[in-house]
Amino acid sequence: MDFENISRPQRENLHKWGKARKIVDEERIKLLFGSDDRYQFKVEGNTSDYTLGVDIDTGETFCPCAFQGDTCSHQIAAHLFLAEIGLENTRYR
C-alpha cells in the first residue's frame, strides 16, 4: 500500500483500527454483561472510560464518546474482542 497517497478518510480509518487493536492488546476492554444477543463493555479510553453496548444480532453498537463519525475505535475494539472469543455474528462482517 502506498501510504503517501492514501486519502484522509483511509488514514483516519487505519488510525481507528490501530487504536482499537491497541485497546484489545492492552486489555483495556472488559466484558461487563453478556446474553444471547447483547453485550456490554467497559473500555478504558485515553481520557475517559466508556460503557458501550453491542447488539450481536444486528452488529449495532453504542458508545457515548465524543467521536463525530460512524464508528469509533471503542466500538471497533468491542467487535474485535467478540471476534477473538468466537462470538461475532458473521452476517455483518
Side-chain angles (χ1 to χ4, degrees), residues 40-54:
Q40 188 175 49
F41 296 91
K42 177 182 176 187
V43 178
E44 296 173 28
N46 292 335
T47 58
S48 296
D49 293 350
Y50 302 100
T51 300
L52 63 118
V54 176

Side-chain angles (χ1 to χ4, degrees), residues 69-83:
D70 292 333
T71 308
C72 68
S73 58
H74 312 117
Q75 293 167 302
I76 295 169
H79 286 284
L80 289 172
F81 183 96
L82 288 170

